[in-house]
Amino acid sequence: MATIDELIKQSLNPFDNFAAGNFWEEQKPVPTVESIHQKPLIQIKSVLAQIAQDHQSRSLILYGDSGSGKTYFLGRLKKTLNDYAFFVYIEPFPQSDHIWRHILRHTVDSLVNAPAGKTDSQLILWLKSCLSSIQKGLKSEQQNLIDIVKGFFGKTDAQRDRQLFIDILKKTIGTRGIYNANEFFGVLYNLTNPDLYSLACEWLKGDNLDEASLKKLGVQQSIDDEDKARGILGNFSKISAKTQPIVLCFDQLDNIARLPDGSIDLQALFNVNSTIHNGQWKGFLIIISIRTEVWNNNYKRIQPADLDRASIRVPLKRITLEEAEALLATRLSPLYNQANPKPDSHIYPLTVQVLEKAFPSRKTTPRSLLVLGKQLYQDYKEWLFRDKQPPKPKWLDGETPPPPPPPPEEKIQAEFKLLWQQEYKKVQDKITKITLSSAPDLIKMLAEVLAAFEVKEIKTKLLSGKYASYSLSYQQPSRQDKVGVVWTEEANMNSFFHVMNACHKAIQQNLCQNLYLIRAGEIGKPNQAGNQIYRQIFIHTSHRHIKPALTSVHYLAAYHSLVNSALANELVVVGKTINLKELEALVCKCNIFQNCRLLQDLKIISTQPNPDNPDLQSVKDYLLNLVITQGFMGRPRLIQNAQSQFSDCNQSDIERLINQLCQEKKIEIVNPKAKPEDQTVCLVVK
């Protein structure tokens, strides 16, 4: 076994701390210190227990300073309490007039996930739990009705039972307060059929389905406006009175829709909250997670009556030095457990004394602690690499850790590229088709990317009417022409007709000189009215139809996630919190979007020649960037991390890429005569 110092020399910095996000997306498992924020967790668990008891919806404000771990805490809350409630993560809403549809979409998107250790999704567990709860309250002769309903799960040929299912739910749940009861109960029945489950979920979250899909589900229309979305969400509440609560977590509110004066539209969210409370909706716990500074700057804009309906306040306070020590120990435990002999301290090479020097108040935020841990660990690792030759880190002799020197630009870009690749991979796993994102979300994401390229006069809602949030306009770079963009992926041809009609009106009114339609889906048959207007606008004219690739949406969504983090003061690169302007500068410096076909089609960037092997080039870039950020590390650990990031890449390809980087004199093997498993890779300093 190796000594602790030998392990440190080969290791990856254990304090690399990337941005947290949606707790249903795949996250790197992070050890938890139970005592940290235990009080707010217990408080929220108590509120949840009250809701489970009396079924009355409640709302609370979860607030804390930047770096206090609000988003991470929501994930911990879900992990701890998912057996007692169903958890929903709601990302920032892009348009206030689309807020109910946004909440419904994210509610269903979260409910289709399965809790840890379960095979059924939250949605199926919710439905089964509801049926079991109903059954307990029925007379014995009626309980067999629920047994019949439970028998429908998993069948694919039981369409004849649909009406029976609906009738039983009407008898047991009732129709009072249920919006569009026949269709809603019918779609719940479709959830029991594996062949219709996905389609039923698409309807529930508000996808505008085509006629054939609606017919399969036995419904007349999609959930295509705010009233319908509010009604369906209310149905979830009504049924949640029969089962476990649903926790709606609103996070990263710094990037929600804005008012004309540029401030965030918190009132829109509190209007939703008041509707839920005034309507006596059941079984919801609404958690509004917000930075203390943002709350203090905006709460006076909210109507007092609406504020009163979110009267529970839950602060995330700074952690104590003892908790800080425990948090460091969780990050360093893999090294400690492997070391022989064991070091004297569980936080070796760090010390309690250095924590006391760095945080004289004996309080800190988790982020500040992890940033310090990363800096000091790297200092010590580099000292080891120099065989403990001077200069020795002064904090090892009891001095206060000095502020880190400004990192070189190469390291900043390398760490950001690693962060980008991590975020992009999460998005790839999450977004498997373009229609998983709503049109307002896609437009919002596109607007954010255009802003990064300093495109002028970006304005949403080029179109007027129902589909306004599907559009934006901007000034063509290097020209004065106004460009319009409309993005719609709805399968329903009636909706497509109305969007095309709105486009036609915009052109007639000369609202833009060039109009782009972004749509990967069908455009209808020649005899359909929508197709006919489409051909008038986009065939043999200056206007253009772009068919986006899924990879382009991955680019937009990954960047959107980083924008959310930057605006929430949660994006950290080389120990520094990155704001939006700095993020925009970084994506341009790093040429992040150079292969984004959509931006090429919009003429925002020039077309790039395709690399010979783009997948392997990404792996090669990752290897180099990892070595740049770490300075040096063990060859096995480098390979292991690359395989974790690129599961389709085999070890022989990675070995070959490492050899290429050595031949290009970008990295080198410090001890080439050692066995491969004992070799150390370092950056070639020029």
Side-chain angles (χ1 to χ4, degrees):
M1 294 180 71
T3 66
I4 187 72
D5 281 353
E6 289 169 343
L7 291 169
I8 289 173
K9 284 197 286 187
Q10 297 288 314
S11 71
L12 208 62
N13 195 310
F15 298 104
D16 285 334
N17 194 38
F18 295 126
N22 186 333
F23 48 59
W24 285 113
E25 294 175 7
E26 185 179 348
Q27 305 280 346
K28 289 178 68 174
V30 179
T32 298
V33 177
E34 295 299 328
S35 62
I36 293 178
H37 298 147
Q38 186 68 11
K39 185 177 179 180
L41 194 148
I42 292 171
Q43 184 180 354
I44 293 174
K45 185 176 181 180
S46 174
V47 173
L48 205 53
Q50 290 176 320
I51 297 172
Q53 184 70 31
D54 62 19
H55 307 298
Q56 299 301 311
S57 292
R58 289 171 172 81
S59 304
L60 63 85
I61 309 296
L62 176 72
Y63 64 94
D65 294 334
S66 295
S68 60
K70 296 177 295 299
T71 300
Y72 172 77
F73 178 79
L74 291 177
R76 180 182 170 194
L77 203 63
K78 187 266 290 184
K79 181 180 178 182
T80 306
L81 302 177
N82 212 169
D83 287 340
Y84 306 97
F86 303 106
F87 276 79
V88 170
Y89 185 91
I90 300 174
E91 296 183 5
F93 55 92
Q95 299 288 344
S96 299
D97 57 3
H98 209 274
I99 189 169
W100 285 104
R101 281 169 282 183
H102 179 86
I103 294 170
L104 178 63
R105 172 173 288 273
H106 283 275
T107 296
V108 177
D109 277 343
S110 287
L111 291 178
V112 298
N113 288 283
K118 305 285 187 182
T119 53
D120 283 337
S121 69
Q122 289 195 112
L123 191 56
I124 292 297
L125 292 171
W126 170 80
L127 184 54
K128 287 181 176 179
S129 174
C130 168
L131 295 173
S132 296
S133 178
I134 291 170
Q135 190 173 32
K136 291 176 184 176
L138 295 176
K139 296 177 181 179
S140 56
E141 62 269 19
Q142 293 179 306
Q143 290 185 356
N144 68 322
L145 292 176
I146 301 299
D147 287 328
I148 292 171
V149 170
K150 289 180 177 178
F152 294 152
F153 283 88
K155 290 185 178 181
T156 59
D157 58 350
Q159 191 63 24
R160 66 185 183 280
D161 297 323
R162 187 175 191 274
Q163 192 57 50
L164 177 60
F165 181 97
I166 293 171
D167 290 341
I168 290 173
L169 289 194
K170 282 183 174 180
K171 288 178 183 177
T172 54
I173 296 177
T175 58
R176 185 179 178 184
I178 297 290
Y179 176 82
N180 201 356
N182 274 334
E183 291 199 349
F184 182 69
F185 288 152
V187 172
L188 293 188
Y189 171 78
N190 293 329
L191 291 174
T192 71
N193 182 342
D195 289 348
L196 293 176
Y197 174 81
S198 294
L199 199 59
C201 290
E202 289 175 8
W203 184 86
L204 282 171
K205 71 180 183 180
D207 281 0
N208 209 335
L209 304 176
D210 60 26
E211 295 297 329
S213 297
L214 294 174
K215 188 175 181 180
K216 280 184 183 178
L217 293 175
V219 296
Q220 296 295 316
Q221 56 189 348
S222 297
I223 305 163
D224 58 358
D225 62 34
E226 289 291 271
D227 289 340
K228 292 172 187 173
R230 182 171 60 245
I232 297 300
L233 203 61
N235 290 353
F236 276 101
S237 163
K238 176 80 172 178
I239 293 181
S240 290
K242 308 287 186 183
T243 180
Q244 292 177 331
I246 294 178
V247 183
L248 303 179
C249 301
F250 292 87
D251 192 27
Q252 296 185 324
L253 298 178
D254 307 73
N255 200 21
I256 61 174
R258 294 189 177 270
L259 296 168
D261 65 1
S263 61
I264 58 174
D265 190 5
L266 270 184
Q267 182 64 55
L269 177 55
F270 277 80
N271 288 343
V272 168
N273 186 62
S274 291
T275 297
I276 289 171
H277 286 275
N278 293 341
Q280 298 183 346
W281 290 21
K282 305 296 183 183
F284 279 1
L285 172 58
I286 298 162
I287 298 178
I288 298 172
S289 171
I290 192 166
R291 281 193 294 135
T292 304
E293 179 187 4
V294 174
W295 177 249
N296 289 338
N297 290 340
N298 289 276
Y299 78 91
K300 291 181 181 178
R301 297 170 177 266
I302 302 167
Q303 293 295 324
D306 297 322
L307 270 179
D308 291 343
R309 292 178 178 86
S311 58
I312 305 171
R313 302 286 191 271
V314 180
L316 286 190
K317 298 180 179 179
R318 295 193 300 165
I319 62 176
T320 66
L321 220 55
E322 292 72 25
E323 290 170 335
E325 183 182 355
L327 181 54
L328 293 178
T330 62
R331 293 295 184 99
L332 291 163
S333 62
L335 293 171
Y336 180 89
N337 293 334
Q338 293 176 62
N340 185 23
K342 293 281 187 284
D344 294 335
S345 168
H346 283 270
I347 63 171
Y348 183 92
L350 310 183
T351 65
V352 174
Q353 290 73 26
V354 77
L355 296 183
E356 292 172 341
K357 290 282 188 181
F359 307 113
S361 68
R362 301 186 67 83
K363 294 286 183 70
T364 184
T365 64
R367 182 197 296 163
S368 297
L369 175 72
L370 295 174
V371 167
L372 177 71
K374 181 176 180 177
Q375 173 198 337
L376 300 187
Y377 186 91
Q378 193 66 25
D379 286 348
Y380 186 80
K381 186 178 176 183
E382 291 174 2
W383 185 54
L384 290 181
F385 190 63
R386 298 193 302 269
D387 294 326
K388 296 190 175 181
Q389 294 300 308
K392 180 182 180 181
K394 293 182 179 180
W395 57 268
L396 285 171
D397 292 326
E399 294 189 26
T400 301
E409 184 65 26
E410 181 185 41
K411 188 170 184 178
I412 294 172
Q413 292 190 23
E415 186 163 311
F416 178 72
K417 288 175 183 177
L418 291 176
L419 176 59
W420 170 263
Q421 285 183 307
Q422 183 190 56
E423 205 62 46
Y424 189 85
K425 185 176 185 295
K426 282 198 296 187
V427 165
Q428 276 184 311
D429 294 339
K430 175 187 174 185
I431 301 178
T432 53
K433 55 182 181 178
I434 296 176
T435 52
L436 290 178
S437 299
S438 70
D441 284 336
L442 291 167
I443 285 292
K444 168 83 169 180
M445 292 188 280
L446 178 59
E448 290 169 345
V449 173
L450 293 176
F453 284 92
E454 299 184 337
V455 173
K456 306 298 183 185
E457 300 295 324
I458 303 169
K459 296 178 182 177
T460 55
K461 299 187 177 181
L462 168 74
L463 304 182
S464 57
K466 182 176 180 179
Y467 299 98
S469 58
Y470 292 30
S471 62
L472 59 74
S473 62
Y474 60 88
Q475 184 179 310
Q476 180 74 42
S478 73
R479 296 171 59 183
Q480 295 300 311
D481 292 350
K482 189 174 184 180
V483 176
V485 176
V486 176
W487 197 331
T488 174
E489 297 293 351
E490 294 177 347
N492 188 284
M493 284 296 110
N494 187 46
S495 296
F496 182 67
F497 161 74
H498 288 297
V499 173
M500 289 299 97
N501 204 30
C503 289
H504 183 63
K505 290 179 181 177
I507 292 170
Q508 283 185 322
Q509 295 168 11
N510 199 31
L511 297 181
C512 62
Q513 284 69 58
N514 294 290
L515 181 65
Y516 288 101
L517 169 68
I518 305 177
R519 181 177 175 86
E522 299 293 328
I523 55 172
K525 298 176 181 178
N527 63 339
Q528 292 178 308
N531 179 276
Q532 292 169 1
I533 301 175
Y534 163 85
R535 283 186 283 123
Q536 289 177 26
I537 298 173
F538 296 104
I539 303 299
H540 305 306
T541 69
S542 61
H543 311 301
R544 189 176 167 200
H545 174 196
I546 297 173
K547 293 186 176 182
L550 180 59
T551 53
S552 290
V553 176
H554 291 158
Y555 274 103
L556 302 188
Y559 180 66
H560 174 66
S561 179
L562 294 180
V563 169
N564 286 342
S565 295
L567 289 173
N569 275 11
E570 294 175 356
L571 186 60
V572 179
V573 178
V574 197
K576 182 180 184 297
T577 303
I578 300 298
N579 62 32
L580 180 58
K581 285 297 179 187
E582 291 168 322
L583 172 62
E584 291 173 341
L586 270 174
V587 295
C588 293
K589 285 179 185 176
C590 297
N591 294 318
I592 292 296
F593 291 104
Q594 65 178 345
N595 294 317
C596 179
R597 184 59 186 268
L598 177 59
L599 294 184
Q600 294 172 7
D601 290 340
L602 290 171
K603 297 182 173 58
I604 301 300
I605 59 175
S606 57
T607 303
Q608 300 291 323
N610 291 324
D612 294 336
N613 195 328
D615 292 335
L616 283 183
Q617 184 60 47
S618 295
V619 180
K620 187 176 180 180
D621 291 343
Y622 176 85
L623 292 167
L624 178 59
N625 289 327
L626 197 56
V627 176
I628 290 172
T629 60
Q630 301 299 314
F632 59 95
M633 61 189 299
R635 182 177 186 140
R637 194 62 191 269
L638 179 61
I639 294 170
Q640 177 188 342
N641 276 271
Q643 287 179 314
S644 175
Q645 181 71 20
F646 302 95
S647 55
D648 294 336
C649 191
N650 58 51
Q651 183 169 338
S652 61
D653 282 335
I654 296 172
E655 295 275 13
R656 181 162 54 83
L657 293 171
I658 290 174
N659 291 334
Q660 283 181 16
L661 289 168
C662 288
Q663 291 166 8
E664 294 166 6
K665 299 190 182 307
K666 293 179 179 177
I667 65 174
E668 67 177 344
I669 309 298
V670 177
N671 48 347
K673 294 183 179 180
K675 295 178 181 178
E677 60 268 25
D678 296 327
Q679 289 179 350
T680 300
V681 181
C682 78
L683 183 69
V684 174
V685 180
K686 297 177 181 178

